[in-house]
Amino acid sequence: MLSHNNVVSNVLSSKKRVPLEYGNSKGLSFLPVCHIFERMILYLYQYCGVSVYFAESIEKLTENAQEIKPDVMTAVPRLYEKIYDKIILKGEDLTGVKKKLFFWAVNLGLEYKPYGENGWLYEKKLGIARKLIFSKWQAALGGNLELMVSGSAALQPRLTRIFAAAGMPIMEGYGLTETSPVTSVNDQMNGNFRVGTVGKVIDDVEVKIAENGEILVKGPNVMQGYYKDPKKTAETIKEGWFHTGDKGEFDEDGFLKITGRTKEMLSYSEIIEMLKSYDITRIEPLESALGYEDSRVNTFDFIQLKKYLGHVENLSKKANVKMTGISFISSVKKHEKNGKEYSSLIYMPSTTIKGADVLYDPVQSAKLGKLVTFKEMLVKHGYNWIYDTERDYKEGKRKDYN
């Protein structure tokens, strides 16, 4: 339950992190207004005199952005990922010098550090990249974007770097519905922007790290409690401190970084026991799925995996194949034309079905009601993918599962 004071206090504390010209800025809105993240942002827009424009749909986001030329917009990490992927796909269609310049700019952007930390030579190159390449990225989203905000899930640092390099910085924040929602957020002003963190705690809110690493929050933004559930409320709010369930740490300058979850972690042995119920006899090393920055394996992920494995098991019986193993795989994306590879920074669990010698996508198979391979799904979207397991690295080769 969130009170009027909860939400208003969050608006007033968050406004100091908004580097916009009050009364002369435009905001593009397309997230569900029923979600506290977007609802608070809309109140913040109103308080700051920002004109709000509602997108017709996510599909028309680019078209609407070019029409209204927003100064600010908010989104979840998945959407920024989609925007980035779409831009990269267009770059892959280029040829000759244009293509070389495009990916030179991308690689440069992935090394971005704020406030000129990379030195004058890097900044000089970045100025050229912005003029030749990144200006087109900006134009695709209206040309006036000064600020984008990300919340609701972890944002990959590579996206933070590349969009900041392109002149459209994403300020990542942290919070929950129970905290109305903002607890901390990055801010370009006064050196308060650091890649890989969720910024500094906003005014009037207190955050401390418990002995077990859990993030605790106290302030006027903390909820009144869970509706008709005093027991859960008492378990979550103790002595005025809201227990988030997230783990975190502060760096030496007061920036908060999320490091994991306190209650929703499964051990490797627990995962093995869960998979045994499916008569799985071969399990690839789980560690291969955990080698990337910000990788998290929690209870929710594996509850979902267990559910989808059940669907795949039923589908495999209908297809007269037996599920015998599961591979936790990392993925490396390979450009079809230039052959360059880069990590996707996510892990994708997959099952191996005896008799077909291929990897199946449990999520897409469950959704479509038929066995779907990773290759079928990804080639459909114009990608060539190579799947790397720990075993392949040890053998000094990469195995291409066709």
Side-chain angles (χ1 to χ4, degrees):
M1 297 179 290
L2 297 178
S3 69
H4 179 76
N5 184 62
N6 285 149
V7 179
V8 170
S9 71
N10 209 234
V11 170
L12 296 178
S13 294
S14 299
K15 72 178 179 64
K16 299 173 184 178
R17 305 291 175 92
V18 182
L20 297 172
E21 186 178 354
Y22 286 22
N24 292 303
S25 298
K26 297 177 182 178
L28 180 60
S29 174
F30 50 89
L31 295 178
V33 179
C34 60
H35 194 291
I36 187 59
F37 176 45
E38 189 69 5
R39 176 163 293 200
M40 193 284 289
I41 288 294
L42 291 180
Y43 293 149
L44 180 61
Y45 285 163
Q46 293 172 45
Y47 186 86
C48 297
V50 175
S51 300
V52 182
Y53 293 79
F54 293 94
E56 296 175 75
S57 65
I58 291 181
E59 291 72 25
K60 288 192 173 183
L61 177 63
T62 301
E63 180 182 332
N64 292 156
Q66 291 174 353
E67 179 184 355
I68 71 165
K69 304 184 185 309
D71 300 285
V72 58
M73 74 176 194
T74 57
V76 293
R78 181 61 186 137
L79 184 60
Y80 291 125
E81 187 82 48
K82 286 184 176 180
I83 293 173
Y84 174 75
D85 287 345
K86 189 175 181 180
I87 292 172
I88 294 298
L89 283 174
K90 287 187 176 181
E92 290 176 349
D93 290 334
L94 298 174
T95 59
V97 176
K98 289 184 178 180
K99 187 169 186 176
K100 289 182 179 180
L101 282 173
F102 179 89
F103 284 104
W104 167 77
V106 169
N107 291 329
L108 188 73
L110 291 173
E111 298 174 1
Y112 177 84
K113 293 181 181 179
Y115 311 117
E117 189 177 336
N118 281 330
W120 71 268
L121 181 58
Y122 177 89
E123 292 297 317
K124 189 71 174 179
K125 292 178 181 178
L126 182 59
I128 296 172
R130 283 176 172 171
K131 185 174 182 179
L132 296 179
I133 305 298
F134 292 139
S135 59
K136 297 179 177 63
W137 293 28
Q138 295 171 3
L141 292 173
N144 291 338
L145 269 177
E146 299 176 29
L147 171 68
M148 297 190 288
V149 182
S150 179
S152 299
L155 180 70
Q156 294 294 344
R158 65 188 177 90
L159 295 180
T160 306
R161 294 183 191 281
I162 193 70
F163 280 104
M168 301 179 290
I170 303 174
M171 296 295 109
E172 183 179 10
Y174 168 73
L176 301 88
T177 299
E178 292 91 336
T179 57
S180 303
V182 181
T183 295
S184 66
V185 65
N186 275 284
D187 171 17
Q188 293 182 86
M189 300 180 290
N190 304 314
N192 290 324
F193 170 37
R194 183 160 295 177
V195 178
T197 76
V198 290
K200 293 183 177 180
V201 178
I202 62 174
D203 289 352
D204 302 320
V205 174
E206 296 178 66
V207 171
K208 70 177 181 179
I209 308 300
E211 290 184 2
N212 67 347
E214 184 175 13
I215 299 171
L216 309 183
V217 181
K218 179 187 284 189
N221 60 325
V222 174
M223 66 171 181
Q224 307 302 294
Y226 294 108
Y227 184 62
K228 293 186 177 180
D229 197 341
K231 182 179 178 181
K232 186 176 180 182
T233 299
E235 291 173 350
T236 308
I237 302 177
K238 301 175 182 179
E239 298 181 355
W241 290 96
F242 171 67
H243 292 241
T244 64
D246 293 315
K247 282 188 174 182
E249 61 185 19
F250 285 104
D251 68 12
E252 66 277 7
D253 296 315
F255 288 89
L256 179 63
K257 184 173 183 178
I258 310 303
T259 59
R261 291 284 297 170
T262 59
K263 303 174 183 177
E264 297 186 353
M265 301 300 293
L266 284 181
S267 68
Y268 186 62
S269 60
E270 289 174 321
I271 295 166
I272 300 301
E273 287 301 313
M274 183 202 82
L275 296 175
K276 283 181 180 178
S277 64
Y278 293 97
D279 192 29
I280 291 173
T281 58
R282 180 180 61 76
I283 301 174
E284 296 291 347
L286 177 63
E287 290 80 1
S288 61
L290 305 178
Y292 292 136
E293 191 171 12
D294 285 349
S295 292
R296 299 179 189 178
V297 179
N298 55 52
T299 302
F300 175 78
D301 292 325
F302 282 100
I303 287 175
Q304 292 296 98
L305 173 58
K306 184 175 180 179
K307 179 181 75 172
Y308 287 124
L309 284 177
H311 289 305
V312 173
E313 187 176 46
N314 292 331
L315 292 171
S316 64
K317 288 178 180 178
K318 292 180 181 179
N320 198 29
V321 291
K322 181 176 174 57
M323 181 169 65
T324 59
I326 182 166
S327 298
F328 291 90
I329 59 174
S330 54
S331 61
V332 174
K333 185 174 179 180
K334 182 176 181 180
H335 293 296
E336 182 176 4
K337 296 179 180 178
N338 65 17
K340 188 173 182 179
E341 300 174 355
Y342 61 90
S343 302
S344 67
L345 297 179
I346 60 173
Y347 77 89
M348 293 186 293
S350 63
T351 59
T352 344
I353 310 297
K354 186 177 181 180
D357 194 28
V358 294
L359 297 179
Y360 286 85
D361 182 338
V363 177
Q364 292 299 317
S365 295
K367 288 182 178 179
L368 298 178
K370 64 177 182 178
L371 293 176
V372 179
T373 68
F374 275 122
K375 183 173 181 179
E376 288 173 331
M377 180 189 71
L378 297 170
V379 169
K380 179 181 178 182
H381 291 85
Y383 292 102
N384 276 344
W385 285 67
I386 294 176
Y387 294 104
D388 301 329
T389 66
E390 188 175 64
R391 176 197 62 223
D392 297 327
Y393 281 118
K394 286 181 179 178
E395 293 177 359
K397 65 181 181 179
R398 287 174 173 160
K399 185 174 181 181
D400 189 355
Y401 296 90
N402 293 312

